[in-house]
Amino acid sequence: MPTFAVYTNLPNDKVPGDFLQQASAFVANQLGKPESYVTVRVHPGQMMTHGGSSDPCASVELYNITDGAKNKEHAAAIAKFVESKLSIPQNRFYVTFTNLRREDVALDGKTFA
């Protein structure tokens, strides 16, 4: 169920062609969840600023069924991943976590509860 979304002002041609696959494998490994449940969305070419500057920046979101206990650990890993793959400095994006309950997510017409 994890959904990893990256909104960035980088143009499409600056996002590596294999970024979706790399991000999917990264999220599955980091969260210890089957990759078959992972969704990755990348939104390049966004009109956005961070800290008053339109230098390369992003907004990263992770939706996950969790209590949030490992968000601090995940934040560090996500920051390193995004910086290494997209060359966006870690101080140029926020990572926002949405911690969901099993009752709040469904797949194939059934919730995870």
Side-chain angles (χ1 to χ4, degrees), residues 32-82:
K33 302 215 174 163
E35 190 172 358
S36 61
Y37 287 168
V38 175
T39 297
V40 176
R41 296 190 316 250
V42 179
H43 306 269
Q46 299 292 297
M47 294 176 58
M48 63 189 302
T49 64
H50 181 89
S53 166
S54 59
D55 289 345
C57 63
S59 176
V60 180
E61 301 171 355
L62 179 64
Y63 301 83
N64 188 26
I65 296 174
T66 180
D67 62 4
K70 294 187 176 181
N71 284 357
K72 187 173 184 178
E73 171 188 331
H74 297 325
I78 290 168
K80 287 177 187 172
F81 176 81
V82 170

Side-chain angles (χ1 to χ4, degrees), residues 73-110:
E73 171 188 331
H74 297 325
I78 290 168
K80 287 177 187 172
F81 176 81
V82 170
E83 182 176 48
S84 72
K85 301 302 178 187
L86 298 179
S87 299
I88 300 173
Q90 294 182 29
N91 67 346
R92 297 287 302 149
F93 60 90
Y94 286 107
V95 178
T96 304
F97 296 93
T98 300
N99 304 316
L100 301 166
R101 300 174 307 149
R102 298 173 68 78
E103 298 84 9
D104 296 331
V105 183
L107 177 68
D108 199 22
K110 296 174 256 174

